[in-house]
Amino acid sequence: MAIQDTARMVSERIKDTEINPYEMMLQQLDLVREYTTIPDGIWQILRNPERTLEVSVPITRDDGGIEVFTGYRVQHSSARGPCKGGIRFHPGVTVEEVKALAGWMTWKCAVVNIPYGGGKGGISCDPSCFTRSELERITRRYTTMIYPLIGTRRDIPAPDVNTNAQVMNWIVDTVQFLSGESTPGVVTGKSIEIGGALGRHEATGRGVMFITLGVLQRLGIDVAETRIAVQGFGNVGSIASRLLGEAGAKIVAISDVSGAYHCPTGFDIDLVLDYVKQSPGHLLAGLPHSGMEEISNDELLALDVDVLIPAALEAQIAARNAEDIRARVIVEGANGPTTPEADLILGEKGTTVVPDILANAGGVVCSYFEWVQNIQCFPWEEKETDQRLGRILQRALREVWTLAEEREISLRLAAFILGVERVATAIQLRGVFP
Ligand code: NAD
């Protein structure tokens, strides 16, 4: 069955408005099935997370009251190595979301061929309502509850939405007190001073840059002639903008929650970064830049550019606006910015979509470097990290691109096939215990 037919079948079953993230992950997985010879039993293993832990996380609020939150840690697969994946603090966290994110981590680590499986964790809570000491208590209690699952050789958390280096520092410290051992490799994304990796902060944006340049070169597009629109000017979007600007591309549109901005002659990204550093809420609002006009976020997505980099939220390119996209290439800096229905529409339009599991894998690759350095107690220089990151991502792009060309399929499907087959092979080689 052709990719379009299979995708159409899936899109008939699932509408953008009613997407359950785990269903979406399974449907992406099921698309791959047509293209592989993975046996039924192995397929059933791939469709189910290895472990799903739900924990109750009570904390004493600063006013003395007790509140109880629900947390999760899901280990989707450990077939290729310890589980790896971030921890999210957000009111929208559900077990279905965490299961989906854990699965995507499995495929992402396999696509870039690092020796990890996939995991993810989260607490359903609104961290903006916590004081710093409440945040510390909820982190330490959650860590204690998931302690039986995590470990340097078992399952290694990292930051995700609303968690950061400080939260990771508290996790390391809690694990150290519970285990009696110094184990910096139990999480990645820590502060540099206690074992974090130089270059980790920039790694995802740098990876987006490497992948974008690799795709432009394959499509025969001169980087100096390339106009790029970036949605989201946070960690991923701002760093990708700066590095692609340095590589010679023109960043003609940027946005954040405060609005979207268009400058056909190209933004001076250093000036924008200086502005954002000191602006209220570190937002783009009020940016003084010549030749710039304010536009809507939908207009940004529909601009006539060569490359569009969605680097903000999920489901930004959906059935409602996919027809309007004019970019020739989409590089998914964010996780899940394109819905399956939109993917189908973009495929029919001939848009080259570089999937998230490849495009934003720079973060997890650098997390892997941090873990390696922790295990070896031997920190690297930043230059070494950047060079190794480039090599790993360029190899992954080459493999995905070649498979897509050979089988005449989309890059997303090729990336999934590559990742899923690697995991299936690992399971088959190990055998099913007992
Ligand atoms: P961030 O919080 O630093 O930045 C997010 C940006 O998106 C902010 O500028 C925010 O204002 C903007 N934004 C939010 N809602 C928006 C909207 N409706 N329209 C336009 N802009 C909007 O987050 P980040 O770390 O840059 O992550 C961005 C995406 O990349 C997420 O999907 C995340 O899961 C993914 N990702 C991040 C990393 C990483 O290492 N940071 C790694 C892999 C994937």
Side-chain angles (χ1 to χ4, degrees), residues 200 204 231-236 255-257 297 311-313 333-335 360:
R200 172 65 186 90
T204 308
Q231 185 200 37
F233 204 72
N235 174 273
V236 180
S255 73
D256 66 10
V257 276
N297 242 308
L313 304 171
N335 282 317
N360 69 32

Side-chain angles (χ1 to χ4, degrees), residues 84 116 156-159 168-169 172 184-185 187-192 194-198 200-201 363-380 385:
K84 183 85 190 90
Y116 280 148
I156 307 133
M168 298 306 113
N169 299 345
V172 171
V187 295
T188 59
K190 308 171 284 292
S191 296
I192 307 285
I194 60 166
L198 290 169
R200 172 65 186 90
H201 176 71
V364 74
V365 172
C366 195
S367 278
Y368 163 57
F369 295 158
E370 178 176 334
W371 178 75
V372 168
Q373 292 169 67
N374 292 156
I375 289 172
Q376 298 186 337
C377 302
F378 185 69
W380 305 351
T385 297

Side-chain angles (χ1 to χ4, degrees), residues 63 84 86 93 95 100 126 134 147 211 214 258 310 335 416:
D63 65 6
K84 183 85 190 90
V93 166
V95 69
D126 182 356
E134 287 171 340
Y147 177 66
I211 295 288
S258 73
N335 282 317
F416 263 84

Side-chain angles (χ1 to χ4, degrees), residues 38-60:
I38 298 171
D40 276 357
I42 302 296
W43 204 261
Q44 290 313 313
I45 294 175
L46 295 172
R47 290 184 104 254
N48 291 285
E50 283 176 14
R51 276 199 192 93
T52 301
L53 175 67
E54 179 178 318
V55 294
S56 165
V57 189
I59 63 156
T60 306

